[in-house]
Amino acid sequence: KFMLGDKMEKVVLATVGDVEITKEQMINILRNIPQEHAASVAGEEGRVRLLDEMIAGELLYLDAKKNGLDAEENFQKILEDTARTLLQRYAVNKLFEGIEVSDDEISTHYDENRDQYTETEKASAKHILVDTEEKALEVKQEIEDGKSFEDAAKEHSTCPSKERGGELGEFGRGQMVKEFEDAAFDATIGELVGPVQTQFGFHLLIVDAVIPAAVQPLEQVKDAIQGQLAQAKQADVYFKAVDELKKEYPVKVNPEALK
């Protein structure tokens, strides 16, 4: 099997002149291929196509060397620009070597910023939206007389949620218009509420559940905090290094040219 995690002896997939194309080279390409292109190299057929592309690349490389394309001025300029960009990236990566975020730093940040990791109160509800209060009262009567809320939503609601029986799913405070939000969070669970007028029309609603506000557990947000603190440390190191380098290499800026 063609396993990405294999530790293997050198396996030659093809040779182009004296150049060997190895399984390890293909695996490195497969590991780094963008997600949107992954399907094109999936399975044995995909690997055959990828090998064809690798062979084509080697053929073009050898022919370019033979014809001296690597000595052309345009290529040398591209090579110089590419090398400059790669060296800049490498230098930045060297700056960031050794930057770590400890568990104590993560815990301290979490304790000092719990408001950032507090999920707001949420409600889960379904609704029916109609154009007039008269229509809303008619539909409400149908439900009170025994028609299911879901059937009434499918029959009468003008909201796309009608296809789901009026289900809106979970929503927090600030996500709905105020009149609807106030009615939802003040409602008794399971109670038919309305008509409630908003800018969209007249609503009937039933709240299925209310989920109290709660602080997310540290383990749930630990990775996000680690990334946030690491970025902050990297930024600090980066800008301090740039400020120091400006003392060594004088910088002059022409702000007028930016206008």
Side-chain angles (χ1 to χ4, degrees):
K1 291 183 177 179
F2 203 95
M3 302 294 290
L4 294 186
D6 282 349
K7 289 185 177 180
M8 66 192 82
E9 297 180 2
K10 184 170 73 170
V11 176
V12 177
L13 300 176
T15 58
V16 181
D18 296 329
V19 178
E20 295 178 339
I21 297 176
T22 67
K23 185 175 182 179
E24 183 178 4
Q25 290 171 324
M26 179 175 282
I27 286 174
N28 286 335
I29 292 173
L30 290 170
R31 283 196 180 113
N32 294 292
I33 202 159
Q35 185 64 37
E36 60 268 24
H37 300 308
S40 67
V41 294
E44 185 175 350
E45 289 184 5
R47 293 194 293 274
V48 169
R49 285 194 297 271
L50 178 56
L51 181 57
D52 285 343
E53 291 178 14
M54 294 172 73
I55 290 170
E58 288 298 337
L59 289 169
L60 290 167
Y61 173 80
L62 292 173
D63 191 59
K65 291 281 289 185
K66 176 184 174 182
N67 291 297
L69 296 188
D70 56 328
E72 289 188 359
E73 184 179 347
N74 285 342
F75 175 75
Q76 288 297 317
K77 180 64 169 63
I78 293 170
L79 187 62
E80 181 183 347
D81 291 344
T82 302
R84 177 184 292 273
T85 299
L86 288 175
L87 187 56
Q88 288 171 348
R89 292 177 183 172
Y90 185 75
V92 170
N93 289 336
K94 292 289 285 186
L95 278 177
F96 295 162
E97 280 184 358
I99 291 179
E100 295 180 353
V101 177
S102 70
D103 287 344
D104 284 345
E105 288 175 306
I106 292 173
S107 296
T108 298
H109 178 87
Y110 176 77
D111 290 337
E112 292 177 351
N113 299 275
R114 282 180 176 256
D115 56 320
Q116 294 182 21
Y117 307 107
T118 300
E119 294 184 326
T120 61
E121 182 182 23
K122 293 181 180 179
S124 175
K126 51 197 171 190
H127 85 138
I128 296 170
L129 174 63
V130 294
D131 294 332
T132 67
E133 183 175 19
E134 181 182 8
K135 180 66 175 179
L137 290 171
E138 290 177 7
V139 176
K140 184 175 186 179
Q141 189 62 55
E142 288 183 14
I143 296 170
E144 290 174 344
D145 288 343
K147 177 176 282 190
S148 73
F149 190 96
E150 292 75 13
D151 287 344
K154 291 176 182 177
E155 183 178 345
H156 299 292
S157 184
T158 61
C159 177
S161 64
K162 66 185 291 182
E163 302 301 329
R164 303 185 301 275
E167 288 288 349
L168 294 171
E170 291 182 2
F171 54 89
R173 288 190 179 274
Q175 290 183 257
M176 300 292 185
V177 291
K178 187 176 187 306
E179 299 89 348
F180 187 91
E181 176 187 299
D182 289 345
F185 284 100
D186 288 342
T188 300
I189 292 175
E191 174 188 6
L192 177 60
V193 176
V196 176
Q197 184 177 8
T198 72
Q199 66 197 71
F200 302 107
F202 294 83
H203 305 255
L204 300 174
L205 63 136
I206 293 179
V207 174
D208 302 311
V210 174
I211 304 158
V215 179
Q216 296 171 276
L218 175 58
E219 285 305 312
Q220 187 175 328
V221 296
K222 184 175 182 180
D223 289 345
I225 294 175
Q226 192 276 338
Q228 181 182 346
L229 295 182
Q231 285 184 350
K233 286 188 174 188
Q234 289 172 352
D236 184 58
V237 168
Y238 176 85
F239 288 113
K240 282 182 178 177
V242 170
D243 285 342
E244 286 299 312
L245 288 170
K246 284 179 179 179
K247 298 174 184 176
E248 185 175 354
Y249 306 100
V251 176
K252 294 182 179 179
V253 177
N254 179 11
E256 293 299 318
L258 295 173
K259 294 181 180 179

